[in-house]
């Protein structure tokens, strides 16, 4: 596609914004950190590479034994009719990579005339059920379900090669997604191409394998999502739900459309039907039934389509026309579609802003929306992109996401709301969104008011150049607020400021979003102090330097054995150098923050400037860990000194508060209890649910 004037404008806005932010970074972070950030910003990461498919080596042979749990979580039911070689390869694959979940394997022999009975009867652990007469796929599956003991039934064709980890992934949505009723695997051809990424049903009853012959890494097919139906070649369903629905309906005997009918009945019961891309199963399509719909058992597909269309005519009226190719817009047609644009893919294990954004996506999905995420940089961020996909977020990245103009031209018309994070990202994308998604409500998420943070930093440093840069940021941020339909801030204090600076703006408070953790170890089993915060954020660098150089010596004078744990990614040299001080441990990024939340006695927030709501405070309080902070750090957080938190603004007051809390178990327990209550009341998912519904999910669909 050729370059357009819109592309040129977009790149010009990006270049000017990057230049301005680079100059500001030089003054606040120094040249070394600024250079590292620039390389990260301009570098392009390749999309993740697909792992090669696994196949059994050599000739098909029966495994000597297969896993068998006496109290299985899942029962794998495999219907077979002849085709022993396929069955043996399927069982070899299962035996080679046992799942973490306890399982049993049930093979239902539907009257095979070959050596199936002799071969399978010798496999230790396998439950073998033989039908005397051939009744077809439906009868065999229902018989297998009848003797199953697992909480979940997993129906698996014998002409499949399940890939490592497939079953645990197939069962995962039942724990992570509310009201899940049926989950289908990603089916692939032996050459690695997609066979099915969930099924699409049309208003005439015809069905289509979404993604057929496509690339499994294509963003359209790589995330957990609702599907019209999922192929019975590899599906999971709660056993009690299957039985309450009467199993596969014999109306479609011997086979075909029974899986589509089951999906419609599951959905009618109030449960969801999901496609799980992480459950990869290779399927030799047609190995047992052929592919010719004019002859053999495959001919039942045409007859059963008519039966299905008659039975579900009322529901099918809301489905699309078969003449229109399925697309991301059509497969999510029943849900409000929300596009979120940010500079980079969120990294919730690194910073509180990312945690807030991921939890917002989770909350939107739980309230019934379909969420799409586009990083301005268009990179695949490895496990962080995969985290979004596992949640059910349609996450985009290059090369599948083209230039911003082209991508929005294609996808813009499907969105009900577009949320753009950070003023410099909004400055680039807002004109494109207005042009290509004119129907969408535009929400500007400030993350925090950048100009307020910069003003405070300039005042603390007494730097006139920083003050002028803050004034420029203020003008840019207020301009974006004026051109957006709604602006999100994280505190009532910031809403009050915008009531003065942008009185015409519609502003809503959507603060940090946290889930309460366990309350960790008791007071007597905890020790030391901890700070958590990413060091790309200049206020965090200033905070730990001030604490270590001016406050910590006063604390060590009273408690000589006290240690200070400094945790956060992208550690600059000035912070790393603090490790030379006695008792200071600079850990950098820690993948699992839990041990420090559960084991350190006090969390610190010694910020001397900043804006927004401090995730580090919420994080600690959610774990039952009391906090000592400055007034700036607790701004807008509904906290009271002495009740939920201790506050100190100069070195002497801060050190005294730390020592007092460290030594007073009763005060410690009181602050721990009240801090958790504060998170539940103001910063939990439940507390934000109504605001999210009002901002994103009301109005005409």
């Amino acid at each position: 596609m050729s370059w357009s004037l819109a592309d040129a404008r977009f790149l010009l806005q990006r270049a000017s914004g990057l230049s301005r932010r680079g100059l500001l970074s030089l003054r606040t972070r120094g040249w070394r950190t600024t250079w590292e950030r620039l390389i990260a910003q301009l570098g392009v990461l390749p999309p993740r590479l697909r792992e090669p498919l696994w196949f059994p080596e050599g000739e098909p042979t029966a495994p000597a034994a297969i896993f068998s749990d006496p109290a299985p979580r899942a029962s794998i039911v495999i219907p077979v009719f002849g085709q022993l070689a396929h069955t043996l390869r399927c069982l070899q694959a299962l035996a080679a990579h046992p799942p973490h979940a306890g399982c049993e394997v049930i093979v239902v022999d539907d009257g095979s005339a070959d050596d199936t009975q002799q071969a399978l009867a010798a496999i230790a652990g396998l439950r073998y059920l033989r039908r005397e007469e051939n009744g077809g796929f439906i009868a065999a599956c229902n018989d297998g379900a009848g003797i199953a003991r697992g909480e979940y039934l997993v129906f698996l064709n014998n002409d499949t090669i399940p890939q490592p980890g497939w079953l645990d992934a197939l069962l995962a949505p039942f724990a992570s997604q509310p009201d899940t009723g049926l989950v289908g695997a990603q089916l692939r051809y032996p050459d690695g191409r997609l066979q099915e990424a969930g099924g699409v049903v049309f208003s005439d009853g015809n069905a289509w394998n979404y993604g057929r012959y496509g690339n499994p890494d294509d963003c359209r097919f790589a995330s957990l999502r609702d599907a019209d139906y999922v192929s019975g070649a590899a599906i999971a369903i709660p056993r009690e739900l299957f039985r309450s629905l009467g199993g596969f309906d014999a109306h479609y005997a011997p086979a075909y459309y029974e899986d589509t009918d089951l999906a419609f009945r599951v959905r009618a019961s109030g449960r969801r039907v999901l496609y799980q891309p992480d459950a990869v199963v290779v399927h030799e399509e047609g190995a047992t039934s052929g592919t010719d719909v004019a002859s053999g058992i495959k001919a039942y597909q045409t007859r059963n389509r008519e039966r299905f269309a008659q039975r579900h005519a009322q529901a099918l009226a809301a489905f699309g026309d078969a003449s229109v190719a399925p697309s991301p817009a059509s497969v999510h047609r029943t849900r409000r579609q929300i596009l979120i644009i940010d500079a980079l893919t969120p990294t919730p294990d690194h910073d509180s802003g990312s945690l807030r954004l991921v939890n917002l996506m989770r909350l939107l999905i739980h309230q019934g929306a379909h969420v799409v995420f586009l990083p301005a940089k268009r990179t695949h961020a490895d496990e962080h992109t995969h985290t979004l996909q596992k949640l059910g977020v349609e996450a985009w990245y290059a090369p599948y996401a083209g230039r911003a103009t082209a991508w929005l031209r294609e996808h813009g018309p499907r969105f009900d709301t577009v949320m753009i994070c950070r003023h410099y990202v909004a400055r680039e994308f807002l004109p494109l969104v207005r042009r290509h998604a004119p129907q969408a409500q535009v929400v500007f998420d400030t993350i925090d008011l950048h100009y307020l943070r910069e003003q405070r930093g300039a005042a603390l440093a007494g730097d006139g150049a920083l003050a002028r840069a803050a004034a420029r940021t203020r003008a840019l941020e207020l301009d974006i607020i004026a051109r957006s339909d709604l602006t999100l801030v994280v505190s009532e204090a910031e809403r009050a400021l915008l009531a003065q600076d942008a009185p015409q703006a519609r502003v809503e408070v959507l603060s940090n979003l946290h889930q309460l953790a366990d309350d960790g170890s008791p007071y007597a089993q905890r020790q030391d102090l901890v700070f958590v915060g990413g060091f790309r954020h200049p206020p965090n660098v200033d905070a730990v330097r001030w604490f270590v150089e001016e406050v910590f010596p006063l604390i060590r004078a009273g408690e000589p054995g006290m240690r200070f744990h400094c945790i956060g990614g992208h550690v600059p040299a000035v912070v790393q150098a603090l490790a030379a001080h006695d008792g200071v441990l600079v850990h950098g990024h820690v993948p699992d923050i839990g041990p420090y939340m559960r084991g350190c006695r006090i969390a610190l927030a010694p910020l001397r400037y900043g804006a927004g709501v401090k995730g580090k405070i919420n994080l600690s309080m959610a774990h039952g860990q009391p906090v000592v902070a400055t007034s700036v750090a607790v701004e807008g957080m509904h906290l009271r000194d002495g009740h939920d938190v201790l506050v100190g603004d100069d070195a002497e007051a801060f050190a005294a508060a730390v020592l007092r809390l460290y030594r007073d178990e009763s005060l410690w327990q009181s602050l721990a209890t009240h801090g958790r209550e504060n998170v539940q009341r103001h910063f939990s998912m439940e507390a934000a649910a109504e605001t999210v519904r009002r901002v994103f999910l009301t109005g005409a669909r």
Side-chain angles (χ1 to χ4, degrees):
M1 182 179 292
S2 61
W3 285 87
S4 67
L5 183 59
D7 285 311
R9 289 198 198 99
F10 176 80
L11 289 177
L12 181 62
Q13 292 274 39
R14 172 163 291 182
S16 65
L18 185 61
S19 174
R20 179 183 170 278
R21 297 198 307 279
L23 291 173
L24 180 60
S25 180
L26 280 172
R27 295 194 66 86
T28 57
R29 300 184 176 94
W31 72 269
R32 187 183 302 276
T33 301
T34 299
W35 176 252
E36 292 172 352
R37 285 171 60 85
L38 181 64
I39 294 300
Q41 178 73 22
L42 297 179
V44 177
L45 298 176
R48 63 183 174 132
L49 299 177
R50 283 176 286 155
E51 294 183 3
L53 295 174
W54 182 91
F55 294 95
E57 296 181 357
E59 294 296 316
T61 57
I66 201 161
F67 47 82
S68 179
D69 193 302
R73 183 171 180 230
S75 299
I76 304 173
V77 177
I78 306 174
V80 305
F81 177 58
Q83 302 290 336
L84 176 59
H86 283 296
T87 303
L88 293 179
R89 282 167 61 84
C90 179
L91 294 175
Q92 281 180 285
L94 291 175
H97 303 285
H100 293 295
C103 297
E104 63 177 354
V105 179
I106 302 169
V107 173
V108 182
D109 183 352
D110 197 20
S112 299
D114 60 5
D115 295 332
T116 293
Q117 183 173 8
Q118 294 85 344
L120 301 189
I123 300 175
L126 181 71
R127 298 186 67 192
Y128 175 76
L129 174 65
R130 181 173 175 85
R131 291 173 50 85
E132 293 305 318
E133 296 182 358
N134 177 257
F137 178 86
I138 291 174
C141 287
N142 286 342
D143 281 0
I147 66 168
R149 299 172 298 186
E151 179 184 358
Y152 297 97
L153 296 171
V154 178
F155 295 102
L156 183 68
N157 278 16
N158 71 325
D159 56 351
T160 60
I161 306 294
Q163 298 299 295
W166 75 285
L167 184 57
D168 295 304
L170 195 66
L171 298 177
F174 292 105
S176 65
Q177 301 290 326
D179 302 324
T180 298
L182 180 64
V183 182
Q186 181 188 88
L187 302 181
R188 293 194 198 175
Y189 290 105
D191 64 5
R193 292 177 301 163
L194 276 175
Q195 185 181 113
E196 179 191 300
V200 175
V201 177
F202 301 105
S203 57
D204 62 359
N206 272 302
W208 177 251
N209 294 349
Y210 191 51
R212 192 178 185 90
Y213 306 126
N215 186 331
D217 282 336
D218 190 311
C219 310
R220 294 172 294 170
F221 317 125
S223 59
L224 184 76
R225 69 169 185 86
D226 289 86
D228 295 343
Y229 82 98
V230 284
S231 171
I235 58 175
I237 185 172
R239 178 166 56 96
E240 290 306 315
L241 175 61
F242 185 77
R243 290 181 176 176
S244 72
L245 295 175
F248 286 120
D249 195 336
H251 182 67
Y252 301 96
Y256 292 105
Y257 269 87
E258 75 287 333
D259 48 8
T260 315
D261 173 81
L262 178 65
F264 272 57
R265 288 187 288 135
V266 165
R267 200 157 34 243
S269 75
R271 305 287 191 97
R272 297 172 66 189
V273 177
L274 298 176
Y275 152 71
Q276 169 59 293
D278 288 344
V280 178
V281 173
V282 175
H283 183 215
E284 294 271 9
E285 186 181 42
T288 55
S289 302
T291 58
D292 184 3
V293 297
S295 63
I297 193 172
K298 192 74 173 176
Y300 286 103
Q301 184 170 332
T302 300
R303 184 202 71 177
N304 285 349
R305 182 197 67 78
E306 296 174 356
R307 291 185 172 185
F308 170 79
Q310 291 174 0
R311 173 165 288 187
H312 296 283
Q314 184 174 355
L316 287 170
F319 283 68
D321 192 312
S323 64
V324 180
S327 68
S330 66
V331 298
H332 302 291
R333 65 194 177 279
T334 61
R335 295 174 176 267
R336 293 186 73 90
Q337 299 194 45
I338 313 295
L339 170 63
I340 298 176
I341 304 172
D342 199 355
L344 299 169
T345 299
T347 53
D349 56 340
H350 283 71
D351 64 276
S352 62
S354 290
L355 180 62
R356 170 179 174 269
L357 186 56
V358 170
N359 279 339
L360 170 59
M361 295 185 201
R362 182 179 283 113
L363 191 52
L364 284 167
I365 291 168
H366 285 183
Q367 292 195 3
H370 174 66
V371 178
V372 179
F373 179 76
L374 177 69
K377 194 180 174 187
R378 298 186 296 129
T379 54
H380 188 291
D382 299 320
E383 73 273 13
H384 296 113
T385 296
H386 192 211
T387 293
L388 298 185
Q389 292 170 332
K390 288 193 294 184
L391 286 178
V393 175
E394 184 186 317
W396 283 81
Y397 41 84
Y400 310 104
R403 297 194 306 270
T405 303
W407 190 89
L408 281 166
R409 184 183 301 118
E410 177 183 356
H411 294 277
R414 65 175 164 130
F415 297 115
D416 298 283
T417 295
V418 177
M419 186 179 91
I420 313 176
C421 305
R422 305 172 209 277
H423 70 89
Y424 51 87
V425 178
R427 184 171 178 240
E428 299 169 1
F429 277 88
L430 186 54
L432 297 180
V433 170
R434 289 299 193 194
R435 179 176 181 180
H436 297 298
Q439 79 293 337
Q441 171 190 225
V442 175
V443 175
F444 169 45
D445 185 17
T446 62
I447 307 299
D448 61 30
L449 284 176
H450 288 50
Y451 76 84
L452 177 60
R453 168 162 42 88
E454 291 179 17
Q455 286 174 342
R456 289 172 170 174
L460 182 66
D463 190 319
L466 289 180
R468 290 189 293 273
R472 174 61 176 157
T473 298
R474 179 179 183 275
L476 292 174
E477 208 159 11
L478 292 179
D479 175 64
I480 295 300
I481 290 170
R483 290 192 286 141
S484 300
D485 298 317
L486 184 145
T487 295
L488 293 178
V489 295
V490 294
S491 72
E492 289 292 347
E494 292 191 344
R495 176 151 66 179
L497 177 61
L498 288 185
Q500 299 175 9
D501 290 356
Q504 303 304 314
R506 180 185 170 199
V507 181
E508 291 275 3
V509 176
L510 183 64
S511 200
N512 289 350
L513 300 171
H514 291 267
Q515 295 173 312
L516 288 180
D518 64 78
D519 52 9
S521 302
Y523 168 88
Q525 295 177 20
R526 291 174 178 256
Q527 60 183 358
D528 297 339
L529 313 174
V530 65
F531 172 91
V532 179
F535 292 107
R536 282 181 171 173
H537 193 53
N540 288 338
V541 176
D542 175 79
V544 296
R545 290 185 67 185
W546 175 72
F547 176 78
V548 170
E549 293 170 357
E550 299 191 30
V551 182
F552 197 47
L554 302 177
I555 295 173
R556 292 267 294 185
E559 291 283 346
M562 186 84 76
R563 297 184 300 172
F564 172 57
H565 299 272
C566 183
I567 296 173
H570 308 285
V571 179
V574 293
V575 172
Q576 188 61 55
L578 298 176
H581 293 253
D582 289 343
V584 176
L585 293 86
V586 179
H587 298 283
H589 171 64
V590 174
D592 181 11
I593 200 72
Y596 296 93
M597 295 293 98
R598 294 188 292 269
C600 288
R601 188 170 291 179
I602 301 174
L604 306 178
L607 297 168
R608 297 197 296 169
Y609 74 98
V613 170
K614 310 306 179 293
K616 57 179 64 65
I617 294 178
N618 291 143
L619 177 68
S620 292
M621 289 183 172
H623 282 81
Q625 184 180 57
V627 176
V628 176
T630 60
S631 297
V632 169
V634 300
E635 181 182 61
M637 297 192 68
H638 313 280
L639 296 170
R640 288 180 289 161
D641 185 14
H643 184 265
D644 318 276
V645 67
L646 293 187
V647 176
D649 287 324
D650 58 45
E652 290 76 14
F654 201 98
V658 170
L659 290 171
R660 175 189 171 202
L661 180 58
Y662 200 82
R663 296 163 175 168
D664 189 335
E665 181 175 359
S666 176
L667 176 63
W668 185 95
Q669 188 59 60
S670 175
L671 264 60
T673 299
H674 294 150
R676 281 174 62 85
E677 292 172 354
N678 178 271
V679 172
Q680 179 63 42
R681 186 179 306 113
H682 299 291
F683 303 105
S684 65
M685 306 281 274
E686 294 81 5
E690 174 55 27
T691 298
V692 169
R693 187 199 65 78
R694 185 172 63 251
V695 170
F696 294 96
L697 304 176
T698 58
R701 172 70 177 91

